[in-house]
Amino acid sequence: MTTPATTAVHVVYAHPSERGFTREVLGAFLDGLADAGRPYTVSDLYAMDFRSELTRAEYERESGYDAEAPVPDDVAAEQARLAAADTWVFVYPVWWADCPARLKGWFDRVWTVGFARRTVGEPRLVEKALVLCTAGYDIAELEASGCYRAMRTVMLTDRIGERARTSEFVLLGGSASASASASGWQVLKAEHLARAKALARSV
């Protein structure tokens, strides 16, 4: 892994467990980056114990649109990693039709005035933002409930928005679908991991 000054891809990962399918997706994606020779950095939000709640000072900075006020060191470090990358990738599980609270809090704190909104001059655009999320239900079930469109819109339209020239939302689900058997899930999981690796090679 390289320093932020030379990185091309920055991955924001949010899952509390070091085991499980979401961790395997992260591993497959990083393997794909390595295969492609793409340098990268990773922010593992749970491993970092990244604070998700705004302090009063942070809230007042943002609500007052005070871009001259300093941001906390952990926020500045995240912004530096993002600024050094031309591709942003978000890897997380779908919980209650959204990302984990820690990643939601990451957006609350890192998408600051002067960095992600109300920037001075032309805002910096990243070349690509890629969302890789895991889910128990498959896309068909999530589309039927309306959840798929909602969470895709929140991530790509609201959180990423015009901050990336292109963006893509990829859901890797099906482990808890009614039609999924244990052996069927193993086949589908292998397909998902291969897709994650292939996506990394192409970013």
Side-chain angles (χ1 to χ4, degrees):
M1 191 157 46
T2 61
T3 62
T6 58
T7 190
V9 179
H10 183 60
V11 181
V12 181
Y13 176 72
H15 198 293
S17 177
E18 295 184 359
R19 300 179 179 179
F21 178 49
T22 308
R23 177 65 67 166
E24 290 180 85
V25 169
L26 175 67
F29 188 82
L30 297 184
D31 286 347
L33 291 178
D35 289 348
R38 293 292 303 274
Y40 63 85
T41 51
V42 178
S43 289
D44 185 337
L45 301 186
Y46 283 89
M48 296 160 57
D49 197 22
F50 186 83
R51 176 171 54 81
S52 56
E53 301 84 5
L54 284 170
T55 63
R56 178 178 294 180
E58 287 174 284
Y59 169 75
E60 291 175 351
R61 180 192 188 278
E62 300 310 307
S63 62
Y65 304 112
D66 186 3
E68 299 301 316
V71 297
D73 290 346
D74 60 345
V75 170
E78 288 300 288
Q79 292 175 344
R81 294 183 186 106
L82 292 165
D86 60 17
T87 301
W88 300 338
V89 182
F90 301 90
V91 182
Y92 62 89
V94 173
W95 291 345
W96 297 108
D98 200 359
C99 62
R102 186 152 297 190
L103 179 55
K104 169 59 169 63
W106 181 93
F107 282 107
D108 288 345
R109 297 189 63 224
V110 175
W111 259 209
T112 62
V113 168
F115 177 77
R117 57 196 183 94
R118 295 197 177 220
T119 56
V120 177
E122 289 294 323
R124 179 187 180 279
L125 295 179
V126 72
E127 289 300 317
K128 181 168 185 175
L130 172 64
V131 176
L132 282 176
C133 56
T134 62
Y137 295 119
D138 59 27
I139 290 178
E141 291 169 299
L142 291 168
E143 283 182 331
S145 68
C147 291
Y148 180 77
R149 180 177 180 182
M151 59 192 180
R152 185 181 186 279
T153 298
V154 167
M155 282 300 294
L156 296 191
T157 303
D158 186 36
R159 292 173 183 155
I160 295 172
E162 297 181 353
R163 298 172 183 94
R165 297 186 191 279
T166 63
S167 58
E168 185 176 2
F169 186 91
V170 177
L171 186 137
L172 307 172
S175 62
S177 295
S179 60
S181 63
S183 58
W185 167 241
Q186 291 305 312
V187 172
L188 183 57
K189 181 170 82 165
E191 293 174 357
H192 286 333
L193 295 176
R195 186 180 182 191
K197 194 169 185 177
L199 283 166
R201 291 171 176 155
S202 66
V203 294

